[in-house]
């Protein structure tokens, strides 16, 4: 539990660091990464070869989703009941990854730089606000959005760092994370910041943030529908902010508004329910995807306890890590959609 909190502190500083007004915390995350490895020739051949996802992405997705649906229906067979606990998360992962494929080939190895396309996937799965919110969440230099702060308050409760939802400000949590990290030797900090363990923690956190955005966007769309409003209602705040910017000569404006405002108006209890995976199968699917790329968290924590100097290290540079975190958020959003579709054909718990 202590080591898990330490790595959580590093992850938090990636997005909460601006709240501390301490530039030195640029040291702790996404800095000083080792040089990228070259993609294998086999990987390059696969990327360049003709395939249905490139030639007919919409048709390929429709066929993949039909296959996925058939597998969910087959899983209802009483003869397969003993397999459902294992197979259901696998089907959710495959369904989520298929939803990403029209935009980019999902990552297969953490030592091969991921490709662009997650932004387009986020826009389709969540909406126009999503990419900017995810980029802000991982920027490490910009003030964290209200959506990001709401997410972290819920995360701290779900990770049992707080006894009550909204118990402490995100600023206070950032200060606690700062003290936790400063208490560690410099060599330990350097080992952690490039480790596969921290990479896995970042991936899971980003995926959970993407899931949170997708679930929030669905609720916002539903509430607008019930009120008889268009789903893509123009934001009055955007209009007013443009007037202020024109009058003051300021041209920079935030790229997200409606979804962030909706999420920031939630009570702490509501935000916890939105951040929390709706089903056990979705929670296991998220961990399964992280296991596929990084290995099991328990194994990585045991390696940290045994000999931190021998911990596996990430080989991706800063830009590739950013792309991997963007893909994680897109995966989380796609997982939410895959979960909702699966629930139509199988009883999730």
């Amino acid at each position: 539990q202590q080591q898990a909190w330490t790595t959580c502190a590093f992850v938090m500083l990636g997005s909460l660091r601006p709240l501390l007004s301490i530039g030195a915390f640029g040291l702790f995350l996404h800095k000083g990464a080792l040089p990228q490895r070259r993609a294998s020739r086999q990987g390059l051949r696969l990327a360049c070869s003709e395939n249905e996802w490139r030639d007919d992405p919409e048709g390929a997705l429709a066929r993949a989703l039909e296959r996925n649906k058939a597998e969910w229906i087959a899983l209802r067979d009483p003869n397969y009941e003993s397999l459902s606990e294992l197979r259901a998360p696998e089907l959710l992962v495959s369904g989520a990854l298929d939803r990403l494929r029209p935009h980019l080939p999902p990552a297969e190895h953490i030592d091969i730089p991921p490709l662009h396309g997650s932004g387009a996937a986020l826009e389709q799965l969540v909406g126009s606000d999503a990419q900017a919110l995810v980029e802000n969440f991982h920027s490490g230099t910009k003030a964290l959005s209200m959506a990001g702060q709401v997410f972290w308050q819920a995360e701290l409760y779900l990770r049992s760092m707080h006894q009550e939802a909204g118990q402490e400000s995100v600023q206070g949590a950032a200060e606690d994370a700062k003290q936790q990290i400063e208490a560690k030797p410099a060599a330990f900090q350097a080992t952690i910041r490039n480790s596969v363990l921290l990479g896995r923690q970042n991936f899971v956190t980003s995926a959970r943030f993407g899931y949170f955005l997708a679930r929030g966007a669905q609720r916002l769309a539903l509430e607008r529908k019930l009120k008889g409003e268009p789903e893509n209602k123009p934001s009055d705040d955007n209009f007013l902010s443009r007037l202020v910017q024109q009058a003051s000569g300021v041209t920079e404006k935030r790229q997200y508004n409606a979804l962030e405002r909706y999420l920031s108006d939630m009570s702490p209890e509501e935000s916890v329910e939105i951040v929390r995976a709706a089903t056990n199968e979705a929670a296991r699917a998220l961990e399964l995807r992280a296991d596929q790329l990084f290995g099991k968290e328990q194994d990585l924590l045991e390696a940290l306890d045994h000999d931190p100097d021998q911990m596996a290290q990430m080989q991706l540079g800063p830009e590739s890590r950013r792309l991997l975190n963007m893909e994680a958020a897109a995966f989380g959003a796609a997982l939410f959609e895959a979960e909702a579709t699966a629930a139509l054909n199988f009883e999730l718990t």
Side-chain angles (χ1 to χ4, degrees), residues 160-285:
S160 299
M161 306 301 177
H162 286 173
Q163 297 299 317
E164 297 180 6
Q167 166 184 328
E168 182 184 10
S169 69
V170 181
Q171 171 78 36
E175 292 288 351
D176 290 343
K178 168 181 174 288
Q179 294 175 11
Q180 177 75 18
I181 289 175
E182 282 187 336
K184 299 294 182 181
F188 180 86
Q189 294 176 18
T191 297
I192 286 289
R193 73 164 178 254
N194 289 325
S195 67
V196 171
L197 173 60
L198 185 59
R200 188 187 189 283
Q201 289 269 17
N202 278 320
F203 185 92
V204 169
T205 301
S206 187
R208 288 173 63 86
F209 186 63
Y211 183 96
F212 162 69
L213 293 179
R215 200 171 179 188
Q218 184 202 53
R219 281 187 45 162
L220 173 60
L222 179 60
E223 290 187 14
R224 283 178 167 175
K225 186 175 181 178
L226 292 174
K227 294 177 182 177
E229 299 175 355
E231 289 190 15
N232 295 316
K233 178 183 176 182
S235 169
D236 293 336
D237 286 354
N238 278 341
F239 175 71
L240 292 174
S241 65
R242 283 198 297 271
L243 290 180
V244 172
Q245 290 161 3
Q246 290 172 2
S248 61
V250 177
T251 57
E252 182 180 358
K253 65 183 182 70
R254 296 175 74 160
Q255 299 177 16
Y256 43 85
N257 197 300
L259 179 57
E260 179 190 26
R261 186 173 65 252
Y262 175 75
L263 295 171
S264 65
D265 286 342
M266 288 183 174
S267 68
E269 292 76 17
E270 286 179 311
S271 64
V272 166
E273 290 308 309
I274 294 295
V275 171
R276 192 200 314 266
T279 65
N280 293 323
E281 289 83 359
R284 294 200 300 270

Side-chain angles (χ1 to χ4, degrees), residues 11-18 29-31 122 131-145 148 151-152 199 201-210 318 321-330:
V11 175
M12 288 178 62
L13 286 175
S15 53
L16 306 187
R17 189 168 55 248
L29 202 60
H30 305 313
K31 300 292 183 181
L122 282 165
Q131 181 175 355
L133 283 169
V134 174
E135 288 177 346
N136 168 272
F137 187 73
H138 288 292
S139 72
T141 56
K142 298 178 182 178
L144 184 64
S145 70
F151 169 83
W152 268 118
Q201 289 269 17
N202 278 320
F203 185 92
V204 169
T205 301
S206 187
R208 288 173 63 86
F209 186 63
R321 291 191 186 195
R322 185 188 72 81
L323 290 175
L324 187 59
N325 286 328
M326 288 290 292
E327 182 179 322

Side-chain angles (χ1 to χ4, degrees), residues 45-75:
R45 284 200 303 272
L46 290 173
C48 296
S49 64
E50 292 187 359
N51 63 79
E52 62 173 349
W53 291 102
R54 187 195 66 183
D55 300 334
D56 181 20
E58 291 184 4
L61 177 59
R63 290 186 290 273
L65 295 184
E66 280 299 316
R67 292 192 296 268
N68 191 263
K69 177 181 177 180
E71 291 194 68
W72 280 113
I73 293 174
L75 202 59

